[in-house]
Amino acid sequence: MSTTIIETKSALDTALRPAAEAGKQSSLEVTDYDNRQTVGAITVDHPKMVCRNVNVYYGAKQALRNVGIDIGANQVIAFIGPSGCGKSTFLRCLNRMNDTIVTCRVTGQLKLDDEDIYAPVIDVVQLRARIGMVFQKPNPFPKSIYENVAYGPRIHGMVNTKAELDELVRASLERAGLLKEVDKRMNDPGTSLSGGQQQRLCIARAIAVNPEVILMDEPCSALDPIATAKIEELIDELRENYTIVIVTHSMQQAARVSQRTAYFHLGDLIEVGETDQIFTNPKHKLTEDYITGRFG
Amino acid sequence: MQSFLLLTLILLSIGGYYLGRNRAFAVAGGQIRHLHSLPSFYGSYTALWCGLPALIVFAVWATLQPSVIIDLVVSGMPPELRNLPPDQLNLVVNDLKNLVSGNIVSSTPDAAMLDAANRYHNLQLIGNVSLWVVILTLAIAGAAYAWRAISPSLRARNRVEQVVNLLLILSSTVAIFTTIGIVLSVLFESILFFRKVPITEFLFGTQWSPQTALRADQVGSSGAFGSVPLFAGTLLISGIAMVVAVPIGLMAALFLSEYATPKFRAVAKPALEILAGIPTVVYGFFAALTVAPLIREIGAAMGLHVASESALAAGLVMGIMIIPFVSSLSDDVINAVPQSMRDGSYALGATKSETITRVLLPAALPGIVGSILLAVSRAIGETMIVVMAAGLSANLTANPLEAVTTVTVQIVTLLTGDQEFDSPKTLAAFALGLMLFVVTLILNIIALHVVRKYREQYE
């Protein structure tokens, strides 16, 4: 992974420099700030999730307008944009976490493997077992490290014996790169870990249920750079087996870990594309302003 | 006279506050930034110097003055009065005081008494005047000292905060010392009781009949002080109450915090809390006039013999009474569990009930146990409902359909009416109080251990 990261990083640097210096805007397709039509390719060859015409309302206020995007299988897609742009709201639509907010209303089409996740036949409990989530602030349960990871498998009846559960817990911790650090202290409370370890515990907890998609809502914003680097490395490894959607405020992080990037702006999906392209050659003026630091 | 002095002192301190504040402005040349503390702190500093030393001297003086004056007066009395035994001397002094204050005295005062009364009156006058002089001098001197000490570099804020800190320490110790005082007084009375009745009989006896003979030959006066039936009755009634209150209260709390709409919660929670505001005597009526007959009728219909006053009636009503203690506090602690815990659980595909039983309840456990503990102590201490609905007869029984009595009810019946305070009958009340205190203390310690063992901290 290191080579891709370095390449993307240098690509980002070269992208930021000329834009800041002179502003060669020859590649821009949309220069009109008021044009909020999504630019770029919203479809991919092997979509895991397909979203079309998604609108989200909080009471009377519309938080997202007409969002359409594909989420590719075994890819990392990053949602970026200024605060309040709707990227977290959209993320929470993907596993119907917005259901817990009474005033929230979602319209449009959201499909997971050709199945409409908002269809009445869908059981939200089973859906969330297929689409895991990691939150901004590490939120381990006030239980032991072991119990934190065992929580999901237990409630879904995924294992029959204690030995199987042990194995699953250890495997999940191993995948989250945490096993070595906690092997001797499985019965310590999860809250006794450091922030970065807690976040990896939350990732282990999510993958213990064996989801197909993992949603991450600014997973590193509460962590120091070293813990952040570990999580980013982990995300890159997890891509092999899972589809990952990550919301981030750090453009460097988006550039480092994602293959595709989507830029949200005040409730609109402005631009979608390959990460390299978004950061080196944005097509929308708003995207360019944001990644060059002129806005947000 | 002395309350006037106190008022003067307060006014002086208020004056000192403004003096100090203005002085601070003056020494700073109008530039507050040059001062170490805000001007109001210099004001408080001056006010404290003005009021506090004077107040302390005032308090010491006021407690010592009466006994000093009496000593002086007594030493000036003729020897035949002065050399009386202490208890008779006490009576004379009381007469003297009544004479001075113009109350009724026991006999027509003789010359020696009148002379002593005069001296008493004079000494009191001198004492009061000198108190005024001393206090006012101290107050003004203190204020003057503080006024002179004010300079931009004076750390007035730190000084004032030190005094406030001291005040906080004193306040926190008040509760502790009060508890210690109560325990000691109950303990000493109990020791008196245990001199008359063996402690083993009190702790293990199964007969409670607190009668003592007024005369040696009185019939049916053999008292029995076995406290077991009382504690059994307390346990039985509290147990029934908890069986009612804990499940209902907890489920109400869960509904309010997790299922109810905010609108419903806003109405239902205060409504539930009103239950806690109803006087227990009203619950007593309810238990004695409605619930107890109802239970008797139901029992009769089922072919059971139910006493007209039963532990069940008292326990049921008491349970209803303490529901809000469990529900309201538990609701608060369940609500206090961070939303991120719920989100984390839901995101793993947990259902609402799984989230509640596996995440919320364990996280809220310490608070829930605390609320149950509070309810238990209310149940144990409750008296009125039991008096009215469960009766006074100290039966040793586990049958909730019979009449029983509790520790608190017996304490009340032992101490009401005209009583002599050295008979085992009245002293037994203190022993019961002590036992009750020990039992609740042990309950608290056990609960604390339970909480510490099973608590799941989310921070």
Side-chain angles (χ1 to χ4, degrees), chain B residues 166-237:
Chain B
L166 210 67
L167 194 75
L168 296 181
I169 293 173
L170 276 178
S171 313
S172 67
T173 48
V174 164
I176 298 170
F177 282 117
T178 314
T179 314
I180 294 176
I182 291 175
V183 170
L184 284 184
S185 74
V186 172
L187 188 68
F188 287 134
E189 301 288 344
S190 304
I191 290 173
L192 285 181
F193 173 74
F194 289 131
R195 278 205 194 122
K196 297 182 182 188
V197 176
I199 190 163
T200 45
E201 188 202 322
F202 178 74
L203 287 181
F204 305 113
T206 55
Q207 279 290 323
W208 178 259
S209 157
Q211 302 303 324
T212 43
L214 293 175
R215 308 182 306 273
D217 57 342
Q218 203 176 4
V219 182
S221 61
S222 55
F225 291 96
S227 66
V228 172
L230 306 188
F231 280 95
T234 306
L235 209 67
L236 182 64
I237 291 182

Side-chain angles (χ1 to χ4, degrees), chain A residues 92 95 97 100 125 128-129 131-133 135 137 139-143 148 151-152 154-156 191 205-206 209, chain B residues 262 339-352 354-355 357-359 362-363 455-459:
Chain A
R92 290 168 64 93
N95 69 342
M97 278 302 279
T100 57
V125 166
R128 289 188 192 137
I131 306 179
M133 188 162 187
F135 295 86
K137 203 177 150 218
N139 60 344
F141 298 131
K143 301 174 182 296
N148 259 287
Y151 183 84
R154 278 223 177 96
I155 58 176
H156 294 295
T191 44
R205 184 174 78 182
V209 190
Chain B
Q339 181 62 29
S340 64
M341 294 293 131
R342 296 180 179 86
D343 283 349
S345 178
Y346 291 142
L348 286 170
T351 63
K352 199 155 204 170
E354 283 163 346
T355 304
T357 51
R358 288 166 188 250
V359 177
R455 114 209 232 93
E456 296 189 343
Q457 262 179 317
Y458 46 76
E459 281 306 335

Side-chain angles (χ1 to χ4, degrees), chain A residues 3 8 23 39 48 50 69 97 131 141 145 151-152 156 161-162 178 186 188 194 221 236 241 251 256 264 294:
Chain A
T3 49
T8 328
V39 294
K48 182 74 190 170
V50 177
I69 190 170
M97 278 302 279
I131 306 179
F141 298 131
I145 294 168
Y151 183 84
H156 294 295
T161 62
K162 177 84 172 90
L178 192 62
M186 287 287 215
D188 287 8
S194 73
S221 64
D236 206 59
N241 300 306
M251 281 175 280
R256 283 193 296 261
F264 287 80
R294 250 178 267 166

Side-chain angles (χ1 to χ4, degrees), chain B residues 117-313:
Chain B
N118 256 332
R119 282 165 43 74
Y120 187 96
H121 188 70
N122 284 339
L123 279 173
Q124 218 172 23
L125 210 65
I126 292 168
N128 284 342
V129 169
S130 45
L131 176 65
W132 269 83
V133 172
V134 168
I135 294 300
L136 290 184
T137 319
L138 253 178
I140 290 164
Y145 169 77
W147 192 80
R148 279 182 59 85
I150 288 174
S151 68
S153 62
L154 176 73
R155 303 191 162 199
R157 177 173 53 80
N158 304 38
R159 300 287 165 75
V160 172
E161 278 170 357
Q162 271 172 5
V163 174
V164 172
N165 201 353
L166 210 67
L167 194 75
L168 296 181
I169 293 173
L170 276 178
S171 313
S172 67
T173 48
V174 164
I176 298 170
F177 282 117
T178 314
T179 314
I180 294 176
I182 291 175
V183 170
L184 284 184
S185 74
V186 172
L187 188 68
F188 287 134
E189 301 288 344
S190 304
I191 290 173
L192 285 181
F193 173 74
F194 289 131
R195 278 205 194 122
K196 297 182 182 188
V197 176
I199 190 163
T200 45
E201 188 202 322
F202 178 74
L203 287 181
F204 305 113
T206 55
Q207 279 290 323
W208 178 259
S209 157
Q211 302 303 324
T212 43
L214 293 175
R215 308 182 306 273
D217 57 342
Q218 203 176 4
V219 182
S221 61
S222 55
F225 291 96
S227 66
V228 172
L230 306 188
F231 280 95
T234 306
L235 209 67
L236 182 64
I237 291 182
S238 308
I240 294 170
M242 297 318 290
V243 165
V244 174
V246 170
I248 296 182
L250 265 184
M251 285 193 267
L254 280 179
F255 176 73
L256 284 180
S257 64
E258 295 301 310
Y259 292 96
T261 60
K263 249 186 210 165
F264 181 82
R265 186 168 186 271
V267 177
K269 203 177 178 212
L272 249 177
E273 280 162 1
I274 288 175
L275 271 185
I278 298 174
T280 57
V281 72
V282 175
Y283 279 108
F285 296 150
F286 178 60
L289 300 181
T290 312
V291 178
L294 192 73
I295 288 174
R296 196 179 54 214
E297 275 164 32
I298 294 173
M302 286 163 41
L304 292 169
H305 172 74
V306 183
S308 56
E309 292 177 318
S310 64
L312 188 61

